[in-house]
Amino acid sequence: MTTHSGAATISTALAPANPWSLVPPLGNLDAYITAANRIPMLTPEEELGYAKKLKENGDVEAAGRLVLSHLRLVVSIARQYMGYGLPHGDLIQEGNVGLMKAVKRFDPDQGVRLVSYAMHWIKAEIHEYILKNWRMVKVATTKSQRKLFFNLRSMKQGFKAEAGMEDGAMHRETLSESEIDAMAAHLNVKREDVMEMETRLSGGDVLLDPSPSDDGEQAYGPIAYLADASHEPTAMIESRQRDYLATDGIQEALATLDERSRHIVEERWLKVNDDGSGGMTLHDLAAVYGVSAERIRQIESAAMKKMRKALAEYA
């Protein structure tokens, strides 16, 4: 009976009946944050009750209450990562995904509060989003690189504060040898890893194919000299086909002609004199076969048409 009474108290702890109506569905980010901060936090007893209802019965409404009561936590954590130049709303959205994963996996029998468990999942989801979107090319793939990525900036800020540097100086000054050694020792990584990550973070993205400028002129980008058209697959296939047609294909097409037509085509198009001039003229061939030059032209035209058909079939 006590459990039933506690569940009844929990079911009325938050209002209205639809918990998601407490948060604006779309629109202003400030309105969302304000609404999230208004949602009452759960007591340990309420949290335990909802977590058990979710685990034992798959209660979706209980899961909603657990998620809603921790939205302010996501907002707070996401604010810590705004220095990476990514939209605050997107960081919150990714953090909410991590929160929902945490709620789904939360075990109330472990004796810990959901907030302690959820922080790991929220940060992990935000970290993954930042790593995927902060650079077009991944800057951190191993565990040590991830540790460096998310600690290097804050540690550089600390060095800057100790040295009394101006706010913008951090981006212009490279790390000293002593600072590199201090970072490597503090994060338990190699000093070479610190130097490599510093180089990665200090370099910006370069557009391979820049957009045209305001005056309509096409901007010159690395894609213009990085591309090797000679080894592009389509170009290589087309080149190979042309080679085939120029050798085996021509021979196959010539084989479809009668002897006179083949001789006329060879003399007109396939022979080159020592001085670089072409083969026999229409009049030369007309004299050989005792017909008019017009007749030679007609035979040539019919032969070329037949060869084109044969080449098309060969290709």
Side-chain angles (χ1 to χ4, degrees), residues 106-137:
F106 181 60
D107 185 358
D109 298 326
Q110 293 296 321
V112 298
R113 294 296 301 271
L114 176 58
V115 62
S116 302
Y117 183 73
M119 286 181 67
H120 164 76
W121 287 93
I122 295 170
K123 289 183 177 180
E125 207 69 28
I126 293 177
H127 286 186
E128 191 67 23
Y129 169 73
I130 293 174
L131 290 173
K132 286 182 178 179
N133 293 273
W134 195 70
R135 282 281 192 270
M136 291 180 65
V137 179

Side-chain angles (χ1 to χ4, degrees), residues 47-296:
E47 181 181 295
L48 182 62
Y50 282 132
K52 287 186 175 181
K53 288 175 67 177
L54 173 61
K55 181 181 179 181
E56 296 171 1
N57 305 318
D59 193 317
V60 177
E61 183 177 346
R65 300 298 174 94
L66 291 170
V67 171
L68 283 168
S69 62
H70 289 80
L71 290 181
R72 67 179 68 197
L73 172 65
V74 176
V75 172
S76 175
I77 294 176
R79 189 176 292 116
Q80 301 172 16
Y81 295 93
M82 292 182 64
Y84 293 95
L86 297 171
H88 190 197
D90 290 352
L91 294 171
I92 292 175
Q93 177 174 290
E94 295 300 321
N96 286 341
V97 172
L99 172 61
M100 288 185 282
K101 289 181 178 180
V103 169
K104 182 179 180 180
R105 294 168 172 80
F106 181 60
D107 185 358
D109 298 326
Q110 293 296 321
V112 298
R113 294 296 301 271
L114 176 58
V115 62
S116 302
Y117 183 73
M119 286 181 67
H120 164 76
W121 287 93
I122 295 170
K123 289 183 177 180
E125 207 69 28
I126 293 177
H127 286 186
E128 191 67 23
Y129 169 73
I130 293 174
L131 290 173
K132 286 182 178 179
N133 293 273
W134 195 70
R135 282 281 192 270
M136 291 180 65
V137 179
K138 289 185 178 181
V139 294
T141 53
T142 66
K143 184 177 180 180
S144 61
Q145 288 175 343
R146 287 170 178 253
K147 183 188 295 186
L148 277 169
F149 180 87
F150 289 105
N151 287 277
L152 193 62
R153 184 184 297 259
S154 59
M155 293 189 71
K156 286 179 68 175
Q157 287 277 15
F159 291 140
K160 181 188 71 172
E162 292 176 4
M165 297 166 60
E166 298 294 331
D167 289 340
M170 181 189 67
H171 301 287
R172 296 190 301 271
E173 297 293 334
T174 58
L175 292 171
S176 66
E177 292 296 322
S178 60
E179 290 172 344
I180 292 175
D181 292 334
M183 283 188 179
H186 180 74
L187 299 174
N188 193 26
V189 296
K190 298 178 181 178
R191 68 188 312 276
E192 291 79 9
D193 292 337
V194 176
M195 296 169 63
E196 181 182 357
M197 183 56 64
E198 167 67 7
T199 302
R200 292 187 183 190
L201 295 179
S202 61
D205 292 331
V206 178
L207 289 176
L208 290 178
D209 191 10
S211 302
S213 57
D214 295 336
D215 57 5
E217 293 292 331
Q218 181 64 41
Y220 184 77
I223 194 66
Y225 55 83
L226 287 177
D228 184 1
S230 62
H231 289 83
E232 196 272 326
T234 304
M236 293 179 67
I237 293 173
E238 292 177 350
S239 176
R240 190 176 297 116
Q241 288 178 339
R242 285 195 300 269
D243 292 340
Y244 285 150
L245 290 176
T247 54
D248 297 346
I250 292 295
Q251 294 302 319
E252 291 286 340
L254 286 172
T256 63
L257 304 178
D258 60 79
E259 184 178 352
R260 183 176 64 171
S261 298
R262 182 168 63 252
H263 178 252
I264 290 174
V265 170
E266 289 175 343
E267 290 292 341
R268 291 278 291 152
W269 298 101
L270 301 180
K271 286 189 177 180
V272 179
N273 297 325
D274 295 337
D275 59 359
S277 62
M280 300 175 67
T281 65
L282 292 176
H283 292 283
D284 294 337
L285 289 168
V288 172
Y289 290 103
V291 296
S292 65
E294 176 60 21
R295 179 57 184 157
I296 295 297

